[in-house]
Amino acid sequence: MSTPSESGPAAPFIERLGREVRRRRQGAGQTVQTLADHAGLSRRMLTQIEQGTANPSMVTVDKIAHALGVDFATLIAPPAAEPCHVSTAVEVWSSPAGSRAVLHVTSARRGGPELWEWTLASGDRYLAEADPPGSEELILVSTGTLLLETEGRSIPLDAGASARLASDRPYAYKAPEDGRPVSFVRVVEIGAPRTP
């Protein structure tokens, strides 16, 4: 899920992520090296993530989540102890051009829905890797035009348009180079996680 313009997650997210990765790793009785091996990362990278000094891509966070036996949303979500949880939005990704992805709330259920708000600056593109089989997204464009790239096609979605996307294959979001940003909301539901 990385593009040349990607600057990675925001600082508060990185710190919270590091604490949660360390907590879950230690709770599972794993060493840093064992988790790094299962996630396909270097020990140094995982150590930096746990310390909150690395700037991991969303793909890297997803690999760690799967190696811990959870999904991305579960890894970064607060515990669900109450029947109603009021969430605080977390900026998970941003680019130097001003694009950003904000995770508003996640389901307490593993693999359950995630509510995201995205803004892409004119000409910016976000390339995503395939999610686990059976994953899909619901997208609603609020302003501008979103170019949804999948399977060699570029599908324009104007403000007010919505779409359902099978995200278990590579895809990309792009804002046309027309000087206008595009804003959209997406609801993500991840299929069964891959085993490490």
Side-chain angles (χ1 to χ4, degrees):
M1 290 188 182
S2 176
T3 64
S5 64
E6 182 173 332
S7 65
F13 171 78
I14 292 170
E15 292 167 9
R16 188 167 86 196
L17 171 68
R19 286 191 302 270
E20 185 62 13
V21 168
R22 181 181 301 112
R23 185 186 74 75
R24 287 181 180 269
R25 176 185 59 76
Q26 290 173 340
Q30 294 187 36
T31 65
V32 172
Q33 187 65 58
T34 302
L35 180 57
D37 290 345
H38 285 149
L41 303 173
S42 70
R43 176 183 161 88
R44 179 178 178 189
M45 170 59 84
L46 185 59
T47 299
Q48 290 174 337
I49 290 169
E50 285 192 358
Q51 293 172 344
T53 59
N55 194 10
S57 70
M58 290 171 67
V59 170
T60 299
V61 175
D62 198 43
K63 287 179 181 179
I64 294 168
H66 289 151
L68 288 168
V70 298
D71 58 27
F72 179 90
T74 302
L75 183 61
I76 67 167
E82 298 293 324
C84 178
H85 171 76
V86 178
S87 186
T88 302
V90 177
E91 183 178 284
V92 177
W93 172 82
S94 64
S95 78
S99 297
R100 59 192 296 240
V102 176
L103 179 60
H104 283 276
V105 66
T106 62
S107 172
R109 179 173 47 86
R110 182 177 177 187
E114 308 165 10
L115 178 61
W116 292 79
E117 182 180 15
W118 281 68
T119 301
L120 289 178
S122 177
D124 228 353
R125 183 173 185 258
Y126 183 85
L127 178 62
E129 291 184 5
D131 290 324
S135 299
E136 62 180 16
E137 299 183 6
L138 303 177
I139 298 168
L140 173 62
V141 180
S142 48
T143 61
T145 299
L146 174 65
L147 300 176
L148 188 57
E149 300 174 351
T150 182
E151 297 187 328
R153 297 177 11 196
S154 181
I155 303 156
L157 299 172
D158 293 325
S162 57
R164 180 177 34 99
L165 170 70
S167 61
D168 56 0
R169 60 208 75 200
Y171 61 96
Y173 306 128
K174 184 171 186 207
E177 296 183 31
D178 60 4
R180 297 181 306 148
V182 60
S183 297
F184 59 101
V185 175
R186 68 191 267 257
V187 175
V188 179
E189 186 141 17
I190 300 296
R194 297 172 279 236
T195 52

